[in-house]
Amino acid sequence: MNTRNVCIWALAIGILTSCDNDDDEVIDLPEGDYEKGIYVTNEGPFNNGSGTVSFISEDFTNVEHAIFSKVNNEDLGNIVQSMSFDNDLAYIVANVSNKINIVDRDTFEKQAEITEGLNNPRYFVAIDGTGYVSNWGDTADESDDFIAVVDLTSNTVISSISVPLGPERLLVNGNTLYVTNSGAFSTNNQISVIDASTNSVTTTITVGDMPNSMQFDNAGNLWVLASGNPGYLGETGGALSKINTATNEVVNFDFETTQHPGSLGIDEGIFYYQMGGAVYKMDPSDDTLPTEEYISGLSFYNMTLNEGKLYGTDAKDYASNGTLSIYDITTKDSMTTLTMGIIPGGVYFNE
Amino acid sequence: MLAFGIRVFVNMAQKTFFLLFLMLFGSGLTIAQNDSIIQLEEVVLSDARLYRFAAGIKIKTLSDSLVERTNPTFTDMLRFNSSIYLKENGYGMVSSPSFRGTNAQHTAVVWNGININSPLTGQTDFGTLIPQNYDRIAIRSGGGSVQYGSGAIGGSIHLNNLLAFEKHYDNVLQMGYGSYNTQNLNFKSSYGSKSLALGFGMNYVTSDNDYEYLGREQKNENGEYHHLNFNIDAGYFFSKQLLLKLHHNTFFGDRNLSGTLTAPSDDKYKDINTRSLLEMVRFGNEKLMKFKLAHLFERYEYYANKNRPDYSLGSVNTIIAGYDHKQAWGDFTLNGLLDYKRIEGKGSSLEDAKRNQWSGTLLATHHATEQFRYGFSIRKDWVNDFESPLLLALNGSYKLSDFYLLKTSASKNFRLPTFNDLYWLGAGNLNLVPETSYQVELGQLFKVGNASLELTAFYIDLENMIQWRPNASGLWVPQNIQEARQYGLEAVLNYKKAWGAHHLELDGGWAYTRSVDKATEKQLLYVPLHKINGSLNYSFRRYELYTQALLNHSVYITTDESNELPGYTVVNLGGHHNVLKLEKLSLKMGLRINNIFNEEYQSVAYRPMPNRNFLIQIIAKF
């Protein structure tokens, strides 16, 4: 169909006021060479479609979109939730598709997939040849949430560990696995501590409502940032919890009821998080929460820190391509903003 | 004879329209034959104002034979026979129209004169309508909120049941069996005398709907559906001046919601809809008074996992009471309506949802001369939730010659926020205001011999559109934030020829639609720039052969126009043979091949549509 002709004709009879049909130019790069650079997982449209992974070269000058489907000629799956490295491989979790695609981390060529034994998978982490996947289970069932244990030689789920509602983020310290249980579509406030040598839960620690991120400080303490509940679940304020990993003793830093922080990151031993359109900075040795905004006027869907830089994703209207903005965390200067796929979330560094 | 009524453009003389009814129902109008046209219209059709107050309005009435040879789905009937674009979440699943580039909430569905769009979602799922259930289906293009209320912006779809007061007893039984174990059964019975008219209809449609995805090793999983529908229509003349009418419709739907290419599904959706309308019509000298009482009920159960007993639900009860007064002074007709509507909604995610709505409407039409007729109308609603705007419409037609007619209309219309927008637990926004539209159109109708061509240009300006977007704290809430403009051109072509026992009819439509977000100047999601539909129908004695084609331009699936779904062309082919034709019994056998060229296409991204498939039909009339 020739749009231009139609426009000319329509204009001739004086009905249409404007005719435009411009397409944005996208420059594609040669595929298959992703040894050094940044991967960004894009969740993709919610109802129907596939998430994608974008690749950004180390110097931020080259961007390549939808690299998994380019290299492997297939879709990653619906709602690409997260990605995780283990040795030469990368594990990409597609939530609604109940699927983990395993690719070579430098070429993105598909090696294998895990499809059995998952139900609403969220995050993946590997400890010594064993994979752990947080799963919400059936969202109508509040007691079937679990961590799937995967044999990474055969890529099959060999057992599961029952955990409280809404297991999400995973963080490893030696042989200990920490899981935030944030409540899936409801709310929760638990951290499960799992011994990876026995695959059993050793203890459960209570933190703030809806924990969303975790980091270790240089002294080995586990810090958990919780957003607090939104209004429709009975609004509560966020909380930052410092957990002594030896004694599991908790010290809480409470936010105001209307404050809902997220995206706890660490750089050079200093914490950063975002809240209400600003980034805050906190030294783990501080006795109180910071009151001053470190960088103002930023609102990210997700925020990641790495080697002196802050990477913030913007999902825009959730129905178009989002962006990744990169800031120098010391000078606070914006370095670049790059177009990503639909709902960019996780940022991962292949170094 | 029915072929004569295949297309009723309202610009045709009203008298012609009346004659058509006379032809259809023969002596059945004797009771009122000494009375005026406004009364006769009302006897047959509860929604008589659809045609009466329509000078300059584009209305297309779908013929019985078209409905008869159509697929079991309403969606297919519309997408092959109108300029309306429909997107289906997989075949047989939730189906939503885009009329003139607007969204599904801007298409009002009107059942026997009553707007039946769901107060929860503001739209009607076209997957739940069965075409064989209605005697007359009409498509009214353009703004119609003054007459039909909230959401009549792109246009409205009218589902009417007719009453025939003549001595008759007719039955139609239609059975079909097709690919994917698709079965349908339609039965319609009609009885009448001079003072009594009765109608009964029943429809059952079921399908495994497990078609192969073309070019892939996957099939449509979890797509099976079962639909059951009943309707009852009755009319009784207590005296020459007093007529009582009843229309009722009950629909049961039981559908699994099919998966996508990347996501499996085990969702299930069950719903029930009942609609009842009782009317008492009092005829006077050149005037008519009508009392109306209606009840609408809808309830859905959504199962996130069909293997579990848990479900979420929503239900709504609507009661409507109305008074309608119509009076004619020669060529001038005035119609005043006063309606009260009480809506109560309940649901797993709804807070106490109630609405009281009063509406006052005044419609006027004047057939000034044989060539020139015009109308104007005004409406105001008083709603407890918010302020509702004053609505206006102006329309007229001018016949310059026997082969050229000019039509125009301008209107202000509205769409009320839905109960989901207002009362959704944790997200509902009570500060919403109604969406409003200003729109204008210009139509030209050319007629030469057996051919007609209608060209319509339209412009819609939509304000305060309600969109769900995350607020400052990341919660998704509805907000009046989008503004859009829609403009375009529609062409409708019809050609008929008869020679000897041969009959040929060609029907075609082309729609060019720009639907633009004013903030970004980008085309809105799922609005094709071009849509072309066409059908060719040929009959010879007892044989009938037809083909239908649909060309759909690509559509954007992201708001920045960065991703699009490719266009497609789908062609169907079918035929009927009237194997038996006796005085009291006629039997037709039919075969229909859908998507004959096996086009691989998606109506909604990642949801492939069916490959080539077959349907065998038997139609018995007795």
Side-chain angles (χ1 to χ4, degrees):
Chain A
M1 195 63 57
N2 189 326
T3 310
R4 187 164 299 161
N5 283 349
V6 172
C7 283
I8 289 168
W9 181 46
L11 279 170
I13 53 174
I15 322 158
L16 306 173
T17 51
S18 82
C19 262
D20 50 287
N21 193 28
D22 50 340
D23 293 324
D24 291 332
E25 301 252 327
V26 178
I27 299 158
D28 290 335
L29 290 171
E31 66 204 31
D33 182 12
Y34 310 118
E35 267 177 47
K36 290 217 178 315
I38 302 159
Y39 291 121
V40 175
T41 50
N42 304 291
E43 291 178 16
F46 184 73
N47 284 321
N48 27 63
S50 173
T52 59
V53 173
S54 303
F55 176 78
I56 304 159
S57 66
E58 256 187 325
D59 58 1
F60 312 146
T61 55
N62 292 324
V63 180
E64 201 177 322
H65 295 295
I67 59 171
F68 180 85
S69 57
K70 259 187 209 167
V71 173
N72 302 296
N73 198 27
E74 67 171 83
D75 287 319
L76 256 181
N78 193 226
I79 309 298
V80 172
Q81 182 64 35
S82 64
M83 175 166 159
S84 178
F85 298 119
D86 181 45
N87 294 322
D88 296 336
L89 301 174
Y91 295 78
I92 309 159
V93 182
N95 173 239
V96 181
S97 295
N98 290 326
K99 187 177 190 175
I100 295 176
N101 284 292
I102 305 169
V103 299
D104 182 298
R105 69 188 281 173
D106 294 334
T107 65
F108 240 65
E109 275 163 18
K110 183 165 174 172
Q111 310 294 312
E113 63 180 31
I114 306 169
T115 52
E116 298 295 318
L118 305 174
N119 193 352
N120 258 312
R122 307 290 296 172
Y123 290 85
F124 174 95
V125 78
I127 306 174
D128 254 351
T130 303
Y132 294 87
V133 187
S134 51
N135 285 269
W136 283 3
D138 191 317
T139 52
D141 187 336
E142 300 210 338
S143 60
D144 69 340
D145 301 50
F146 64 100
I147 304 296
V149 181
V150 186
D151 173 358
L152 295 183
T153 322
S154 62
N155 292 315
T156 50
V157 175
I158 47 172
S159 64
S160 69
I161 307 164
S162 182
V163 290
L165 185 64
E168 194 80 358
R169 301 273 179 168
L170 307 169
L171 195 63
V172 179
N173 180 20
N175 232 2
T176 309
L177 173 65
Y178 294 91
V179 184
T180 61
N181 300 291
S182 51
F185 291 134
S186 179
T187 179
N188 201 355
N189 59 356
Q190 311 283 314
I191 302 294
S192 298
V193 185
I194 292 170
D195 182 344
S197 56
T198 60
N199 288 337
S200 59
V201 177
T202 52
T203 187
T204 304
I205 305 165
T206 300
V207 292
D209 292 326
M210 299 183 129
N212 58 50
S213 41
M214 291 186 284
Q215 297 290 347
F216 290 111
D217 66 15
N218 289 345
N221 297 304
L222 175 69
W223 293 70
V224 179
L225 185 62
S227 65
N229 292 339
Y232 65 95
L233 293 169
E235 189 167 18
T236 55
L240 180 63
S241 305
K242 177 185 177 181
I243 300 164
N244 180 323
T245 51
T247 63
N248 290 330
E249 215 176 296
V250 184
V251 178
N252 284 324
F253 296 83
D254 291 327
F255 291 81
E256 306 279 330
T257 310
T258 56
Q259 293 183 315
H260 304 292
S263 308
L264 183 68
I266 188 165
D267 188 65
E268 305 258 326
I270 305 292
F271 286 138
Y272 298 87
Y273 59 84
Q274 62 161 340
M275 184 173 74
V279 175
Y280 291 81
K281 179 182 178 182
M282 181 184 175
D283 192 305
S285 61
D286 289 349
D287 297 336
T288 56
L289 292 168
T291 50
E292 229 173 89
E293 297 176 350
Y294 181 65
I295 310 177
S296 306
L298 301 180
S299 183
F300 298 127
Y301 180 61
N302 197 16
M303 183 180 102
T304 309
L305 278 122
N306 188 54
E307 295 188 350
K309 294 182 192 74
L310 182 157
Y311 299 80
T313 63
D314 183 350
K316 302 271 163 91
D317 62 358
Y318 297 78
S320 58
N321 286 334
T323 56
L324 175 74
S325 295
I326 306 169
Y327 290 80
D328 184 307
I329 196 69
T330 318
T331 63
K332 306 180 190 178
D333 289 338
S334 161
M335 301 175 71
T336 184
T337 295
L338 304 165
T339 299
M340 296 289 113
I342 297 169
I343 318 183
V347 180
Y348 307 90
F349 304 90
N350 196 19
E351 286 153 350
Chain B
M1 182 201 76
L2 275 173
F4 183 71
I6 276 174
R7 279 169 165 269
V8 179
F9 287 108
V10 165
N11 42 57
M12 272 168 38
Q14 213 85 36
K15 267 180 196 144
T16 314
F17 183 69
F18 167 48
L19 283 172
L20 171 74
F21 272 138
L22 273 185
M23 289 178 67
L24 286 172
F25 301 106
S27 60
L29 298 173
T30 46
I31 267 199
Q33 76 183 186
N34 296 321
D35 298 320
S36 70
I37 290 172
I38 60 163
Q39 297 171 359
L40 293 170
E41 289 167 352
E42 189 69 41
V43 169
V44 180
L45 191 66
S46 286
D47 188 13
R49 63 206 150 103
L50 173 63
Y51 296 104
R52 157 109 331 222
F53 296 91
I57 305 290
K58 181 181 173 186
I59 298 180
K60 176 176 178 171
T61 305
L62 303 179
S63 73
D64 294 359
S65 57
L66 189 152
V67 174
E68 188 180 280
R69 66 178 175 247
T70 205
N71 250 356
T73 79
F74 204 91
T75 303
D76 271 353
M77 188 184 69
L78 286 185
R79 64 190 191 119
F80 282 99
N81 295 291
S82 78
S83 62
I84 301 172
Y85 166 74
L86 289 117
K87 60 178 185 141
E88 262 184 302
N89 271 338
Y91 192 76
M93 298 292 114
V94 173
S95 162
S96 38
S98 168
F99 207 145
R100 291 185 166 176
T102 61
N103 69 38
Q105 296 172 321
H106 302 125
T107 301
V109 177
V110 180
W111 171 80
N112 290 308
I114 296 173
N115 185 327
I116 56 165
N117 280 13
S118 164
L120 297 175
T121 59
Q123 66 185 75
T124 296
D125 174 5
F126 280 58
T128 66
L129 301 175
I130 297 173
Q132 283 82 359
N133 186 42
Y134 309 101
D135 300 315
R136 179 142 306 149
I137 297 164
I139 303 165
R140 185 188 192 275
S141 300
S145 280
V146 172
Q147 286 195 44
Y148 298 109
S150 175
I153 290 175
S156 45
I157 310 291
H158 298 260
L159 314 171
N160 288 311
N161 296 98
L162 307 180
L163 293 173
F165 291 92
E166 64 170 334
K167 200 166 164 19
H168 74 286
Y169 178 52
D170 299 319
N171 298 290
V172 182
L173 180 68
Q174 187 177 343
M175 287 178 290
Y177 183 81
S179 307
Y180 329 124
N181 194 25
T182 303
Q183 302 167 40
N184 67 83
L185 177 75
N186 300 289
F187 176 68
K188 201 186 237 181
S189 182
S190 164
Y191 167 84
S193 71
K194 282 187 176 182
S195 58
L196 179 69
L198 292 173
F200 171 76
M202 198 225 71
N203 318 81
Y204 179 66
V205 186
T206 175
S207 177
D208 293 349
N209 201 25
D210 55 350
Y211 52 88
E212 306 270 326
Y213 289 168
L214 283 167
R216 295 168 195 271
E217 284 172 9
Q218 247 178 304
K219 61 178 191 173
N220 193 51
E221 277 171 32
N222 202 47
E224 63 182 90
Y225 58 85
H226 315 275
H227 293 163
L228 181 63
N229 190 81
F230 294 99
N231 67 300
I232 297 165
D233 304 283
Y236 181 69
F237 274 99
F238 283 96
S239 71
K240 277 190 178 183
Q241 278 77 38
L242 191 65
L243 169 64
L244 193 70
K245 293 202 278 188
L246 173 79
H247 295 291
H248 175 81
N249 177 208
T250 295
F251 172 88
F252 298 97
D254 186 344
R255 277 177 288 180
N256 291 348
L257 303 179
S258 61
T260 70
L261 284 174
T262 51
S265 163
D266 46 16
D267 300 12
K268 183 189 181 76
Y269 190 85
K270 287 166 87 167
D271 58 339
I272 172 169
N273 284 276
T274 71
R275 298 152 189 142
S276 310
L277 169 66
L278 189 67
E279 287 187 325
M280 196 174 74
V281 193
R282 170 112 191 135
F283 299 99
N285 188 25
E286 289 294 311
K287 72 177 175 186
L288 183 155
M289 287 149 288
K290 185 160 81 169
F291 294 96
K292 178 173 77 180
L293 204 59
H295 176 247
L296 307 175
F297 173 73
E298 62 180 82
R299 183 180 196 277
Y300 75 84
E301 289 174 5
Y302 169 70
Y303 298 77
N305 180 349
K306 67 182 179 198
N307 302 313
R308 295 178 54 87
D310 334 59
Y311 59 86
S312 58
L313 75 136
S315 70
V316 185
N317 268 294
T318 304
I319 290 169
I320 302 165
Y323 175 66
D324 181 337
H325 189 106
K326 196 155 36 172
Q327 182 117 29
W329 294 272
D331 298 318
F332 186 81
T333 310
L334 207 59
N335 192 176
L337 298 106
L338 188 66
D339 284 298
Y340 169 73
K341 201 189 251 191
R342 165 83 176 167
I343 313 175
E344 286 186 29
K346 280 188 297 204
S348 321
S349 302
L350 275 189
E351 285 168 279
D352 197 29
K354 288 187 180 71
R355 177 178 293 167
N356 285 305
Q357 184 177 351
W358 286 91
S359 317
T361 310
L362 192 65
L363 311 167
T365 187
H366 185 202
H367 294 185
T369 67
E370 196 57 41
Q371 288 78 33
F372 178 56
R373 51 193 55 185
Y374 65 93
F376 57 88
S377 44
I378 184 167
R379 172 187 177 123
K380 172 76 184 166
D381 290 77
W382 292 268
V383 190
N384 65 318
D385 310 281
F386 34 70
E387 185 70 19
S388 188
L390 182 74
L391 307 177
L392 294 161
L394 259 173
N395 47 285
S397 65
Y398 192 81
K399 193 173 176 183
L400 276 95
S401 74
D402 282 342
F403 63 86
Y404 185 65
L405 182 113
L406 206 59
K407 309 197 287 189
T408 187
S409 70
S411 56
K412 182 180 179 184
N413 304 281
F414 76 144
R415 180 176 87 76
L416 297 175
T418 65
F419 276 7
N420 287 352
D421 293 335
L422 293 164
Y423 305 113
W424 193 266
L425 214 58
N429 180 358
L430 291 170
N431 297 319
L432 291 172
V433 298
E435 296 181 359
T436 48
S437 78
Y438 293 90
Q439 48 202 96
V440 59
E441 64 184 89
L442 181 69
Q444 304 171 76
L445 179 69
F446 305 90
K447 271 190 168 173
V448 183
N450 293 324
S452 72
L453 173 69
E454 185 171 23
L455 291 174
T456 312
F458 64 89
Y459 183 90
I460 305 172
D461 188 276
L462 256 170
E463 289 175 359
N464 286 322
M465 284 171 75
I466 297 166
Q467 298 276 303
W468 285 66
R469 298 265 173 88
N471 64 9
S473 41
L475 291 178
W476 288 77
V477 292
Q479 304 163 43
N480 286 101
I481 49 165
Q482 199 181 29
E483 298 200 340
R485 76 175 86 86
Q486 285 86 9
Y487 54 89
L489 186 70
E490 295 163 347
V492 179
L493 180 76
N494 181 260
Y495 175 72
K496 276 194 274 280
K497 188 164 170 66
W499 68 100
H502 304 268
H503 291 268
L504 186 73
E505 186 176 5
L506 175 72
D507 223 339
W510 168 63
Y512 168 81
T513 313
R514 280 287 278 153
S515 181
V516 178
D517 183 313
K518 284 195 202 171
T520 62
E521 292 294 326
K522 303 283 188 195
Q523 180 94 341
L524 295 186
L525 300 184
Y526 287 102
V527 178
L529 208 52
H530 301 278
K531 189 198 159 186
I532 295 171
N533 64 282
S535 67
L536 186 66
N537 197 36
Y538 166 76
S539 66
F540 174 69
R541 298 215 167 97
R542 291 183 175 191
Y543 296 89
E544 188 189 347
L545 200 64
Y546 63 88
T547 179
Q548 301 175 316
L550 168 69
L551 278 80
N552 215 94
H553 195 261
S554 60
V555 293
Y556 291 113
I557 54 174
T558 51
T559 55
D560 55 359
E561 299 185 352
S562 60
N563 275 310
E564 61 179 39
L565 202 55
Y568 48 86
T569 303
V570 184
V571 180
N572 303 331
L573 183 70
H576 279 121
H577 176 209
N578 203 330
V579 290
L580 193 67
K581 206 171 182 181
L582 305 171
E583 197 189 344
K584 275 272 135 202
L585 174 68
S586 107
L587 200 63
K588 259 191 201 180
M589 306 278 286
L591 172 70
R592 187 185 159 99
I593 309 165
N594 292 313
N595 193 5
I596 189 161
F597 297 120
N598 236 354
E599 174 87 345
E600 183 185 331
Y601 72 106
Q602 296 171 11
S603 167
V604 166
Y606 284 80
R607 295 180 180 276
M609 292 292 276
N611 45 14
R612 183 185 303 122
N613 61 89
F614 302 87
L615 182 72
I616 302 162
Q617 286 174 306
I618 299 172
I619 302 165
K621 293 181 180 172
F622 52 98

